[in-house]
Amino acid sequence: MSDASHTPIRKNPLAALFLDHPATVHETYFQHMRFASGFAFWLGTAALAALVHAVIPALCETTASRILKRLHARIESRH
């Protein structure tokens, strides 16, 4: 969910691609890359845990939901 009222207007299209969104969450490009990469890693881990659970229900019973709750809390604490 982007808030257009907080997005800086840039004439440089590359700056718009790489800098505008991180600026809306008060991060540099590299800070945002680190956050998003970590988020992607844990989403992938949750997906794998859910897949394992789908095949063998006795395994990873709460792993995916615990990861998702933690990620949700991280997102909520940023805003």
Side-chain angles (χ1 to χ4, degrees):
M1 295 191 284
S2 89
D3 184 359
S5 65
H6 289 48
T7 304
I9 298 172
R10 299 182 195 270
K11 295 182 186 218
N12 180 344
L14 286 177
L17 280 173
F18 294 103
L19 302 176
D20 286 357
H21 173 66
T24 65
V25 290
H26 309 290
E27 293 177 340
T28 67
Y29 172 78
F30 290 107
Q31 288 170 327
H32 193 70
M33 179 192 290
R34 181 176 179 210
F35 181 87
S37 296
F39 204 86
F41 171 81
W42 287 110
L43 283 174
T45 302
L48 287 173
L51 184 60
V52 167
H53 179 69
V55 175
I56 306 170
L59 297 179
C60 303
E61 292 181 46
T62 62
T63 305
S65 61
R66 281 187 291 112
I67 291 170
L68 293 176
K69 286 176 186 175
R70 189 176 70 225
L71 291 175
H72 178 72
R74 286 180 64 192
I75 286 289
E76 288 297 313
S77 70
R78 296 177 81 203
H79 300 293

